Every structure is written in structure tokens, then in C-alpha cells.
Amino acid sequence: MNRRTLLGGLAAGGLAVARRANAQTTGGMAVLTYHRFHPGVSTSATTVSTPVFATQMAWLASNHVTVAPLRSSLALAHGTAGVSTTVAITADDGWRSVYTEMFPILRQHNFHATLFINPPAIGQGNAYLTWPMITEMLKSGLVDVQPHTQTHPNFNTERARLTPAAFQAYLDQEIAGSRGAITSRLGLPADLLAWPFGIHDAQLEAAAQKAGCIAAYALGSSAIMPGSPDFALPRYQVYETDNQARFAWLVAGNPRQHPKKASS
Ligand SMILES: [Zn+2]
């Protein structure tokens, strides 16, 4: 069954149809991107409330969607793994609510997630994760920690502000610094980067490679498929307002326009 049929099935109604479609779809890996979580009411576009996240994870479990470690996206992109419909879960920026709200639900379902962090922010104030929280999550085997640069810059702004040589040095330090901090603190390879704000271009991608990264993740609303570029691997931002139909559409890795937008 192709994606068009899956989409049609979901629109026609119901999880029973979705379940059958998922089992037969040969999709790619849909990488879901979260930021903050809130136990009550969402306070920003990219904050997902805990009940909504719990419902989304329960939906994945009840539909037998495979949640895979993000690293497995590399074999898929390189064409050395079979193409099946899988999902990877990521959370950016190292917010403390990843520990208090997201992690217990991951545990409940035994789902893996990758955290992209800015190491200098860890342990700063009450909003961010602490290193002991990160260590505890790592020990569960359900969490991986990867770099998101040191200070979460907007590289377009910095490029306009700095000389070309200064920008290159800044870029190198932002990427290598965050890799080094994670490796020295946690002993992890820290070789998968997430681009701040999803901003990347050829210069940035070359810098990531030079710093020792083997892949980098952006945004872009499509699934990772064989041939997806190593340093611009797409992810989907998940929003609090995503209804069940849109969430199912994300999971299916559908690259076309969202049905809700198409019908409006
Ligand atoms: Zn970020």
C-alpha cells in the first residue's frame, strides 16, 4: 500500500484503517521533533502538553509503529537497511520537562529518544536539564544525547555580523565545542548534530563534517528515505495542536501537503 492509499484510509476514518495501512506501507523514518512539555496547558507553539504527548505515544504503541533509535536513520539513508515505516523521537534544547514529563512516558512504552542539547545551558536555572538527570536517563538505555551547538545561534544572523574568517572559526567552535562537551562529560560519541532553527547550507554542512559529525538533522516535513542527504536529514516538528489525523500523517512520513491545509 502506498502513502496515498494510507492517507486516504486515514481520511476515510479510524484507527482500524490506519493500523492496516501501517502494516503494509513501505515508508521511511519519520523523525518527530519535540521541544518543551507542560503538565497542564501548552504555553507556546512548540510546547506539547503531557496529556497530548501521552496520547501520541499510546497511538504509536496501539498501532504497532516501530520506534527506532535515531542512529538507525543512517543505514536507511545509505540504502543499507530495509525501508519500513519507522519513527524516531527527538527533543531539542535540553528542557527540564524532557525529564519530568517526557521520560516517564518513554519508559512506559519502552520508546527510545534522542536529546539534542546545548551543553553550556545544562544545569543553568530551573528550566534546563541537569547533568544528573541526563545521566539517569542514559542509564535507562532509552535515551541518547547529541549536540545542538553550544549557544543555539542563528547562523544566518552570525554570518551577517562576522567577517568570513571569524564566522568560520565561530561555526567550528560552536559545533566542535558541543561535541567535545558531551563526549568528555558523558563518554558518548556525540556525532549526530541537530541544526539550530533548522538552518543549514553547504558551508555549515562542511563544518559539521570537519568537526567529526557523521550526520546532521534539520526540519523539513518529510521522512528520511534512501538517498536523504547525511547533513540535512529531515525531521517533523510536532505541535500541541496536531490532531490525530495530522499526527498519523506525520508518522506515515507523507511528504505532501497536510490534508487539513489542503482542505481549507
Ligand atoms: Zn533548538
Side-chain angles (χ1 to χ4, degrees):
M1 185 174 289
N2 63 25
R3 293 183 190 284
R4 180 177 295 273
T5 313
L6 171 60
L7 187 64
L10 289 167
L15 292 179
V17 175
R19 188 177 299 118
R20 191 171 66 241
N22 274 342
Q24 297 175 28
T25 298
T26 53
M29 175 183 272
V31 182
L32 307 179
T33 301
Y34 294 91
H35 286 81
R36 294 177 90 150
F37 299 88
H38 194 285
V41 178
S42 168
T43 50
S44 75
T46 56
T47 298
V48 172
S49 68
T50 309
V52 166
F53 181 68
T55 300
Q56 291 171 344
M57 296 301 105
W59 189 90
L60 294 178
S62 65
N63 284 280
H64 310 290
V65 176
T66 301
V67 177
L70 182 66
R71 191 174 290 277
S72 64
S73 65
L74 297 178
L76 173 64
H78 296 164
T80 56
V83 182
S84 57
T85 301
T86 59
V87 161
I89 299 167
T90 64
D92 290 8
D93 303 349
W95 297 108
R96 185 166 295 192
S97 54
V98 164
Y99 176 79
T100 59
E101 306 302 317
M102 180 195 209
F103 182 53
I105 294 168
L106 295 176
R107 265 200 159 137
Q108 202 181 318
H109 295 289
N110 221 33
F111 284 168
H112 191 277
T114 294
L115 313 183
F116 288 108
I117 66 166
N118 310 106
I122 300 304
Q124 301 300 310
N126 293 330
Y128 291 103
L129 291 167
T130 65
W131 290 111
M133 288 173 185
I134 289 175
T135 302
E136 182 188 331
M137 288 190 281
L138 280 173
K139 279 184 183 157
S140 74
L142 295 177
V143 166
D144 186 22
V145 178
Q146 296 290 343
H148 193 35
T149 72
Q150 288 283 64
T151 65
H152 207 286
N154 180 318
F155 283 128
N156 289 337
T157 304
E158 298 304 319
R159 185 175 357 229
R161 185 175 69 84
L162 297 168
T163 65
F167 177 68
Q168 185 66 55
Y170 174 84
L171 179 55
D172 293 344
Q173 194 279 330
E174 280 287 334
I175 299 173
S178 62
R179 283 201 67 211
I182 292 169
T183 299
S184 64
R185 188 94 197 194
L186 304 171
L188 301 175
D191 52 4
L192 308 177
L193 180 72
W195 295 116
F197 307 107
I199 293 169
H200 62 93
D201 60 20
Q203 181 187 14
L204 272 56
E205 292 168 20
Q209 193 163 14
K210 191 176 86 176
C213 295
I214 59 169
Y217 296 81
L219 293 167
S221 293
S222 65
I224 296 175
M225 299 292 289
S228 292
D230 282 354
F231 288 86
L233 293 166
R235 301 187 294 164
Y236 293 97
Q237 171 66 47
V238 181
Y239 296 101
E240 170 76 358
T241 51
D242 288 345
N243 58 22
Q244 186 178 283
R246 185 172 188 274
F247 188 72
W249 174 86
L250 295 183
V251 169
N254 199 304
R256 295 196 317 278
Q257 192 178 28
H258 173 232
K260 192 168 70 180
K261 287 178 182 165
S263 63
S264 64

